[in-house]
Amino acid sequence: MALICLVLSGAALLVNGLTLLGRVPGRDSGVFNVLVGGLQLVLCVAVAVSADGSLPILFGISGTFLFGITYLYVGVDSLLGLGAVGLGWFCGLVAALAVAFAIVHVADDPFLAVLWTGWAALWALFFVLLALGRSAISTYTGWALVLASQVTTTVPALLGLTGNWPTGSVATTAALLALVGVFGGAVLLTRRAATRPQPEHTPAPAAA
């Protein structure tokens, strides 16, 4: 279930990044986020009910709950025009929780710990963008989402679904380098975008 939700998250991150870059209308991404977030929450609730109080299972799906609630909040915020400040503060809280998840997984799954570190950075970007109102990072956040959508969700999910979830120090190191590429690449793409005229648009809020 978690890997299927990770595939869905990859799609949502991509759409949200393109929305921030003005490539996808806010209402379109809003509907998509509601669908993805709602489906993830339904799957999580189904697993939680069948877990019969098993703490390892409940802990395993708690991270997916964070993604599902985020996407649902993004969708509702975009469709109803709530202003996104509350969404930004929520993303700040989730960023802190994501750091905690990363720390917890360092020992048992360092590759997953690296992924949680990347997701924490994405949520932190939205805290700065939406809660603190730093609109100057909007384009950078959009590119970070677009790049991270494949590197931190789609590719790992497909590897896991084929029975090849990365393990070991080599995979962890590769994941760290990939994160550097994601956030460094977003810097380069943002600078490139700044050198050419951009169409005026008002991007709808989007999150990790």
Side-chain angles (χ1 to χ4, degrees), residues 1-206:
M1 188 277 293
L3 292 173
I4 293 174
C5 287
L6 202 57
V7 173
L8 294 173
S9 290
L13 288 175
L14 177 61
V15 169
N16 289 334
L18 293 174
T19 301
L20 277 177
L21 296 173
R23 282 12 182 232
V24 175
R27 191 169 184 81
D28 277 5
S29 66
V31 172
F32 186 73
N33 275 280
V34 168
L35 291 174
V36 171
L39 178 57
Q40 287 188 340
L41 291 178
V42 168
L43 291 174
C44 285
V45 169
V47 172
V49 170
S50 63
D52 196 25
S54 172
L55 292 181
I57 294 177
L58 293 176
F59 177 78
I61 65 173
S62 59
T64 307
F65 264 113
L66 294 178
F67 278 98
I69 293 174
T70 299
Y71 297 136
L72 187 58
Y73 196 165
V74 168
V76 172
D77 186 277
S78 179
L79 293 175
L80 299 183
L82 302 180
V85 175
L87 173 60
W89 283 101
F90 173 75
C91 287
L93 171 63
V94 179
L97 293 174
V99 171
F101 273 97
I103 294 173
V104 168
H105 285 296
V106 166
D108 67 318
D109 192 343
F111 179 81
L112 182 57
V114 173
L115 297 184
W116 272 110
T117 300
W119 299 331
L122 294 178
W123 269 304
L125 284 174
F126 275 97
F127 169 71
V128 175
L129 175 65
L130 302 178
L132 303 184
R134 301 295 191 268
S135 59
I137 69 167
S138 179
T139 300
Y140 174 78
T141 304
W143 282 119
L145 284 174
V146 169
L147 297 178
S149 68
Q150 306 309 302
V151 174
T152 69
T153 55
T154 303
V155 172
L158 293 177
L159 290 173
L161 289 170
T162 57
N164 297 297
W165 182 260
T167 59
S169 59
V170 174
T172 302
T173 301
L176 285 169
L177 292 175
L179 276 190
V180 173
V182 165
F183 293 102
V187 171
L188 296 177
L189 290 168
T190 301
R191 289 177 177 174
R192 180 182 176 184
T195 62
R196 63 173 184 262
Q198 297 293 311
E200 293 186 3
H201 62 274
T202 304

